[in-house]
């Protein structure tokens, strides 16, 4: 029982004598007060209940081997009723007003069990100032088991009684200020996007599975794409099928028969035209509404395995090692990039459509600019074919690329400074990369040897989740227009749909003091 508590009781004209038995405190009237209060009976309460009622905060040192020092009172022993006990006061010599000190808020869970002297009993849910500083200075999030503060600390006041106001005044102001700061930090962190995303759970089971017979198991091809009008196109051998997300209807779009095979396809930004690259080197452009071929573009001497749209300009990469720019409206070739030594298997335009990234079977990653025949940057860090390419929509100039079986790494480059920013070894062949539209995360699909789908955070490169289900290399990847769903295709001839990302938050209305007016 602390000195402040005894003073508080004495101010209420209650003289007390305190004795400690096995696990209880006994409070009884003194001899002077017995004459005026014969009707008062001895009150007994558990140690834990008294601590909860008085809302005391104990501070433990973080150093190992620290023990609670106990100093026994030098006053002679008094015999109260039938038991002999010693009055003791725990020392607070270990209390330090240091920012590196860990303030532990704990409560005794077992009411009938008294903690042993020198035992190191700490709850796992405690949060230290060190953790708070790491979160705000270095951006390291708190662990989920450190956020259960309400059930862990006993420093809570439900009503405003005079006794509790008195106890608040007796508490060290620095301790009270530290506690209030921790509560404020907790509220700010829980309201932040990092905490909300860390609590996000991704279903590891696909919500839809479609059979895709004759879906080619070829690493260098790109056979699925999702349009802005919410229509998924899939190439099965020499045929192209459309699946509508509105009514789940599957339609056969076109068929090349035995004359040719589909090697790549992509929708234009408006979603009303579909470009199809074939094994013969031709590019066929179809109108989606009329389901009719509009024109055939020639120029390549080998299969066209990769396509990319930039406004009204179509870019194609071929096994003949060249990249050609086409303008379907004028029906002519507007440019040509040559630099790769082997097949071009990956093409992606930057979000601002100013730079074009190309990956080849020669293990090279190039960055081009329209109007120039010389690449802006050349990256040769990969040790295998570079098919997986993705631009970040959240950071200008951030380009990611993945290598094949002999490389297995994902690398990040700043195309403005032509420097490598970071890299990570995934342990498996990287087949596709795609950044989320809604959060700063990206998806990677893999082949040998785990055939997994991994969701990563950027820039921490921590795994959010790993999705398993395909029994073959996950070679193809596409994303829905809203950015919430991804679809993956594999050599097991299945398409699997996953809810990978959260919904995009609506933009907050701009607050203004101007009154609404009509534009005349």
């Amino acid at each position: 029982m602390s000195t402040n508590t005894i003073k508080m009781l004495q101010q209420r004209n209650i003289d007390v004598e305190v004795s400690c038995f096995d696990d209880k405190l006994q409070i009884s009237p003194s001899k002077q007060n017995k004459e005026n209060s014969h009707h008062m009976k001895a009150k007994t309460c558990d140690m834990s209940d008294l601590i909860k009622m008085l809302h005391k905060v104990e501070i433990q040192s973080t150093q190992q081997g620290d023990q609670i020092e106990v100093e026994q009172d030098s006053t002679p022993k008094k015999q109260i009723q039938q038991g002999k006990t010693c009055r003791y006061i725990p020392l607070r010599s270990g209390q330090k007003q240091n920012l590196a000190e860990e303030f532990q808020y704990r409560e005794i869970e077992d009411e009938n069990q008294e903690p042993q002297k020198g035992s190191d009993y700490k709850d796992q849910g405690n949060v230290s100032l060190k953790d708070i500083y790491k979160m705000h200075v270095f951006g390291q999030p708190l662990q989920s088991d450190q956020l259960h503060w309400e059930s862990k600390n006993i420093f809570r006041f439900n009503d405003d009684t005079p006794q509790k106001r008195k106890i608040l005044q007796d508490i060290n102001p620095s301790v009270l200020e530290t506690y209030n700061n921790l509560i404020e930090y907790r509220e700010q962190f829980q309201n932040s996007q990092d905490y909300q995303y860390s609590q996000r759970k991704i279903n590891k089971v696909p919500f839809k599975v479609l059979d895709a017979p004759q879906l080619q198991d070829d690493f260098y091809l790109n056979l699925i794409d999702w349009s802005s009008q919410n229509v998924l196109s899939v190439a099965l051998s020499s045929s192209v099928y459309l699946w509508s997300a509105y009514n789940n209807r599957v339609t056969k779009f076109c068929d090349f028969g035995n004359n040719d095979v589909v090697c790549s396809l992509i929708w234009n930004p408006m979603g009303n035209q579909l470009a199809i690259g074939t094994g013969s080197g031709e590019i066929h452009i179809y109108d989606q509404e009329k389901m009719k071929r509009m024109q055939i573009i020639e120029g390549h001497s080998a299969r066209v395995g990769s396509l990319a749209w930039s406004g009204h300009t179509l870019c194609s990469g071929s096994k003949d090692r060249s990249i050609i720019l086409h303008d379907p409206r004028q029906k002519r070739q507007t440019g040509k990039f040559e630099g790769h030594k082997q097949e071009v298997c990956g093409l992606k335009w930057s979000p601002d459509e100013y730079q074009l990234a190309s990956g080849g079977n020669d293990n090279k990653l190039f960055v081009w600019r329209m109007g120039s025949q010389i690449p802006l940057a050349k990256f040769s860090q990969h040790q295998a074919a570079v098919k997986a390419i993705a631009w970040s929509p959240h950071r200008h100039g951030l380009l990611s690329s993945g290598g094949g079986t002999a490389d297995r790494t994902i690398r990040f480059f700043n195309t403005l400074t032509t420097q490598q920013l970071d890299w990570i070894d995934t342990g498996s062949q990287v087949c596709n990369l795609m950044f989320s539209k809604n959060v700063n995360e990206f998806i990677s699909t893999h082949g040998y040897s785990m055939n997994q789908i991994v969701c990563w955070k950027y820039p921490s490169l921590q795994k959010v989740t790993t999705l398993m289900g395909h029994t073959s290399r996950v070679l193809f990847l596409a994303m829905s227009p809203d950015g919430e769903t991804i679809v993956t295709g594999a050599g097991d001839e299945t398409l699997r749909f996953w809810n990978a990302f959260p919904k995009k938050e609506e933009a907050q209305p701009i607050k203004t003091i101007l009154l609404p007016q009509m534009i005349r």
Side-chain angles (χ1 to χ4, degrees):
M1 197 170 185
S2 64
T3 306
N4 295 329
T5 305
I6 296 176
K7 290 181 180 181
M8 180 185 68
L9 296 176
Q10 289 178 354
Q11 291 177 0
R12 299 176 64 89
N13 297 327
I14 301 176
D15 297 330
V16 298
E17 294 178 356
V18 181
S19 60
C20 181
F21 293 96
D22 292 337
D23 59 349
K24 298 181 179 180
L25 287 179
Q26 184 172 8
I27 303 176
S28 59
S30 62
K31 295 180 181 180
Q32 181 178 358
N33 200 33
K34 285 182 180 179
E35 297 178 358
N36 299 327
S37 57
H38 293 287
H39 61 279
M40 182 179 296
K41 297 182 181 180
K43 299 180 180 179
T44 303
C45 61
D46 294 341
M47 175 68 80
S48 60
D49 293 337
L50 185 59
I51 294 178
K52 291 179 181 179
M53 180 184 70
L54 298 178
H55 303 281
K56 291 302 177 181
V57 177
E58 294 187 2
I59 304 177
Q60 282 187 325
S61 176
T62 58
Q63 300 178 357
Q64 296 183 354
D66 289 351
Q67 297 182 350
I68 301 176
E69 299 180 3
V70 179
E71 180 183 11
Q72 296 183 352
D73 190 17
S74 58
T75 57
K77 300 179 180 179
K78 297 181 181 181
Q79 184 175 357
I80 301 178
Q81 293 183 357
Q82 294 182 355
K84 295 181 179 181
T85 60
C86 294
R87 179 171 179 266
Y88 68 92
I89 299 176
L91 292 179
R92 295 293 185 263
S93 59
Q95 180 175 351
K96 298 179 181 180
Q97 304 303 325
N98 191 341
L99 293 179
E101 189 75 14
E102 292 187 3
F103 292 87
Q104 306 287 349
Y105 304 100
R106 61 181 181 81
E107 64 179 357
I108 301 176
E109 297 180 354
D110 191 355
E111 298 181 357
N112 298 324
Q113 182 177 0
E114 183 180 3
Q116 297 180 359
K117 179 182 178 181
S119 62
D120 188 12
Y121 49 97
K122 296 182 179 180
D123 291 332
Q124 297 179 355
N126 296 328
V127 178
S128 64
L129 289 178
K130 184 177 180 181
D131 297 327
I132 297 296
Y133 297 150
K134 283 184 178 181
M135 179 187 72
H136 285 272
V137 178
F138 301 105
Q140 298 181 3
L142 296 176
Q143 301 295 330
S144 60
D145 56 352
Q146 292 179 311
L147 299 175
H148 303 293
W149 291 24
E150 296 184 358
S151 61
K152 291 297 180 184
N153 77 70
I154 60 174
F155 195 46
R156 297 176 60 194
F157 302 92
N158 296 326
D159 54 1
D160 193 14
T161 61
Q163 293 181 356
K164 292 180 179 179
R165 288 199 301 267
K166 174 62 179 175
I167 295 173
L168 278 173
Q169 296 175 0
D170 295 337
I171 294 177
N172 193 318
S174 61
V175 177
L176 183 60
E177 182 180 0
T178 302
Y179 170 78
N180 293 331
N181 291 337
L182 294 178
I183 293 297
E184 183 179 356
Y185 287 148
R186 181 196 66 173
E187 293 176 354
Q188 293 178 359
F189 178 69
Q190 290 183 349
N191 293 332
S192 66
Q193 293 182 351
D194 292 338
Y195 175 77
Q196 296 174 3
Y197 297 152
S198 65
Q199 302 302 312
R200 176 170 59 91
K201 294 186 180 299
I202 300 177
N203 194 351
K204 295 189 176 183
V205 179
F207 66 89
K208 182 185 291 294
V209 178
L210 298 179
D211 291 330
Q214 298 183 346
L215 183 63
Q216 299 184 63
D217 188 8
D218 193 328
F219 176 79
Y220 300 99
L221 306 186
N222 295 273
L223 302 180
I224 66 174
D225 191 39
W226 207 325
S227 74
S228 58
Q229 296 186 9
N230 217 1
V231 177
L232 178 68
S233 59
V234 183
L236 304 179
S237 186
S238 60
S239 302
V240 175
Y241 291 84
L242 303 183
W243 173 82
S244 175
Y246 296 109
N247 52 23
N248 293 326
R249 181 179 299 175
V250 177
T251 306
K252 188 174 182 179
F253 188 66
C254 64
D255 190 354
F256 293 91
N258 298 327
N259 299 326
D260 215 337
V261 63
V262 179
C263 297
S264 60
L265 50 78
I266 190 171
W267 292 96
N268 68 339
M270 297 183 63
N272 58 354
Q273 294 181 4
L274 179 65
I276 302 174
T278 63
S280 63
E282 297 179 343
I283 302 173
H284 299 252
I285 298 181
Y286 280 80
D287 185 273
Q288 190 266 336
E289 296 180 356
K290 299 179 180 179
M291 298 186 67
K292 181 180 179 181
R293 182 170 57 195
M294 300 173 57
Q295 61 178 296
I296 300 176
I297 300 176
E298 298 179 348
H300 290 291
S301 60
R303 69 179 182 183
V304 179
S306 55
L307 295 168
W309 280 96
S310 173
H312 296 287
T313 301
L314 177 62
C315 179
S316 60
S318 172
K319 196 173 182 178
D320 62 7
R321 301 172 295 179
S322 66
I323 303 171
I324 299 179
L325 305 178
H326 312 271
D327 189 343
R329 298 173 301 174
Q330 301 179 7
K331 298 182 179 181
R332 68 181 182 90
Q333 178 178 320
T334 59
K336 189 174 184 179
F337 298 143
E338 293 180 331
H340 287 281
K341 304 295 183 174
Q342 295 187 34
E343 179 178 6
V344 179
C345 50
L347 286 176
K348 285 292 189 311
W349 284 99
S350 60
D352 58 2
E353 299 182 350
Y354 181 74
Q355 296 177 340
L356 174 68
S358 64
N361 197 31
D362 55 359
N363 310 342
K364 298 296 189 297
L365 175 67
F366 290 169
V367 179
W368 310 84
R369 184 180 62 182
M370 189 176 298
S372 174
Q373 302 297 322
I374 301 175
L376 295 175
K378 299 179 181 180
F379 303 107
S380 58
Q381 287 86 344
H382 288 289
Q383 304 300 319
V386 181
K387 176 199 174 186
I389 300 174
W391 292 87
S392 171
H394 310 287
R395 180 175 175 181
H396 182 62
L398 176 60
L399 174 65
S400 63
S401 60
T405 307
D407 184 74
R408 306 176 302 179
T409 64
I410 300 175
R411 299 181 182 273
F412 301 87
F413 303 94
N414 186 343
T415 60
L416 304 180
T417 61
T418 68
Q419 299 294 325
Q420 178 174 283
L421 302 176
D422 205 347
W423 68 278
I424 186 172
D425 188 351
T426 64
S428 298
Q429 176 190 38
V430 183
C431 301
N432 291 279
L433 289 173
M434 184 172 289
F435 273 89
S436 170
K437 302 176 183 178
N438 305 335
V439 293
N440 197 8
E441 298 176 359
F442 65 94
I443 286 286
S444 63
T445 68
H446 301 269
Y448 303 121
S449 58
M450 299 178 63
N451 306 324
Q452 76 273 34
I453 305 165
V454 184
C455 181
W456 307 81
K457 286 186 177 181
Y458 189 84
S460 64
L461 300 184
Q462 296 179 351
K463 288 185 180 180
V464 178
T465 188
T466 300
L467 307 176
M468 306 293 293
H470 286 289
T471 59
S472 183
R473 296 184 297 174
V474 188
L475 298 175
F476 313 114
L477 172 67
M479 181 181 294
S480 62
D482 58 10
E484 300 177 25
T485 304
I486 62 171
V487 56
T488 56
D492 56 10
E493 298 184 346
T494 62
L495 298 176
R496 298 175 185 266
F497 295 77
W498 315 80
N499 286 322
F501 298 114
K503 295 181 179 180
K504 186 175 182 179
E505 296 182 359
E506 296 182 358
Q508 297 294 333
I510 300 176
K511 296 182 179 180
T512 177
I513 59 176
L514 299 177
L515 296 177
Q517 298 179 355
M518 297 295 294
I519 299 178
R520 301 182 183 274

